[in-house]
Amino acid sequence: PNRCSSLLGIGLNLCLKCTTMGKMQSENPRDSRVIRPQPGLCVKTFTLPDKQKVFVNICQSAAVPPPPPLSREALVELLESEDPTGYRVPMSIGEAHTEVDNNSQGCTAYDVVISEEFFQKCQKDPLFQQFLIAVSLEGLENKYNLELSRDWKVLKNRKFLGSVNEQNIRTKSKPVIQEIEPKPEFCLLVEPPVGDPEFLIAEIQLPGVASSLSLVLDLGEDRLVLNARPSLFHLDCFIPFFIDQEGSVAQYNTNTQILTVTMPVVSS
């Protein structure tokens, strides 16, 4: 069976719900749904440094939530800011599929699904469209550990390369997360430090958090989301490897006020 795609954005992943401590709960099939997105636009780029041809099918679906409202003026300010990752565009990124281009050459294509409402907005303004493409490329890079050229081209006479594939998205999840809580200090350790990683260890400092009962930890296959209630901290970070959710454990030390999350790395 196909692995569920992740709903993510710049700094956003609507993750599989798990317990705060101990072993993670397995995914409930009722918490997801299958969607068939509609074609939107097709972007041609290539990987770096080997320059392998890649096509990105940016699709639309009403099942994907829209990002928070954003004016053109606010987008300009966002792009000029030191940290543009505060604004999040929810998207569902599917698996790579092999296709054939117009020259009968093999190539790789990815499907990225965003909100139908936001896609229509991006179609009306070239600046929003450029922003959408940049976000999509970054999402692919984060999820699949790629480096993609920003020398991209939107195909004029093609909205999609290949055939539109169904995607399985999670529905029982938090809506678009708004960053209103401060980010805690966070570090990610790799064990062993040399060679193939076996474990990732996240150490998160939570000053002022007296008990683990106030912590809500969501762990996805490549994402960690932590909320310390009420409105103390919020952390949403990409994990650079696929992890074993079932084998992951978390412990909170009330003396040091540090949450340690130990995550076995899934071998590729």
Side-chain angles (χ1 to χ4, degrees):
N2 292 330
R3 183 176 59 211
C4 291
S5 54
S6 300
L7 275 176
L8 52 87
I10 300 183
L12 172 64
N13 186 46
L14 302 185
C15 300
L16 170 65
K17 194 71 174 177
C18 66
T19 55
T20 304
M21 300 295 164
K23 288 193 173 182
M24 309 303 168
Q25 296 174 355
S26 58
E27 184 176 6
N28 187 341
R30 292 176 297 179
D31 295 347
S32 64
R33 61 177 292 194
V34 175
I35 65 169
R36 179 172 288 276
Q38 298 300 312
L41 59 89
C42 185
V43 178
K44 177 183 176 181
T45 185
F46 52 86
T47 59
L48 296 174
D50 54 352
K51 293 190 176 181
Q52 296 296 312
K53 196 179 299 183
V54 170
F55 291 86
V56 182
N57 298 316
I58 300 181
C59 309
Q60 52 186 318
S61 173
V64 178
L70 183 69
S71 65
R72 197 178 200 278
E73 293 74 17
L75 176 59
V76 172
E77 293 181 4
L78 177 71
L79 297 176
E80 293 176 348
S81 67
E82 294 182 357
D83 182 18
T85 61
Y87 184 80
R88 298 160 176 182
V89 180
M91 59 178 63
S92 176
I93 295 182
E95 304 289 339
H97 49 99
T98 302
E99 301 294 343
V100 177
D101 64 13
N102 288 338
N103 297 322
S104 300
Q105 298 294 317
C107 60
T108 302
Y110 295 91
D111 304 341
V112 176
V113 189
I114 67 163
S115 159
E116 180 179 8
E117 174 186 328
F118 188 66
F119 179 83
Q120 296 302 323
K121 182 174 184 177
C122 293
Q123 287 290 86
K124 298 175 182 177
D125 191 320
L127 182 62
F128 271 91
Q129 185 180 92
Q130 293 175 16
F131 173 66
L132 170 61
I133 294 172
V135 170
S136 300
L137 295 181
E138 182 175 339
L140 285 168
E141 289 177 329
N142 288 342
K143 185 172 179 62
Y144 294 114
N145 195 26
L146 301 171
E147 184 177 357
L148 298 173
S149 171
R150 293 311 189 263
D151 185 17
W152 46 261
K153 177 183 178 181
V154 177
L155 302 187
K156 293 183 178 180
N157 300 319
R158 184 187 289 270
K159 294 183 178 181
F160 200 95
L161 182 68
S163 57
V164 179
N165 296 318
E166 293 180 340
Q167 289 199 24
N168 193 358
I169 66 170
R170 299 182 181 101
T171 56
K172 190 175 182 181
S173 216
K174 298 175 185 175
V176 177
I177 303 172
Q178 297 180 347
E179 279 193 271
I180 56 176
E181 302 90 353
K183 292 182 179 179
E185 292 190 20
F186 164 78
C187 67
L188 191 63
L189 307 175
V190 178
E191 291 291 342
V194 178
D196 294 333
E198 297 179 7
F199 292 91
L200 296 181
I201 302 173
E203 294 184 348
I204 307 166
Q205 299 183 26
L206 300 170
V209 176
S211 169
S212 63
L213 296 177
S214 64
L215 302 179
V216 178
L217 176 65
D218 293 348
L219 196 61
E221 64 181 9
D222 59 358
R223 211 77 180 190
L224 182 152
V225 180
L226 174 69
N227 285 285
R229 299 179 297 187
S231 301
L232 291 177
F233 294 103
H234 171 73
L235 177 66
D236 187 346
C237 66
F238 164 72
I239 299 171
F241 299 94
F242 286 128
I243 61 169
D244 178 6
Q245 296 160 281
E246 294 291 331
S248 298
V249 294
Q251 292 180 322
Y252 184 61
N253 188 318
T254 56
N255 293 325
T256 61
Q257 297 185 327
I258 293 178
L259 174 68
T260 302
V261 186
T262 304
M263 299 163 283
V265 173
V266 176
S267 300
S268 57

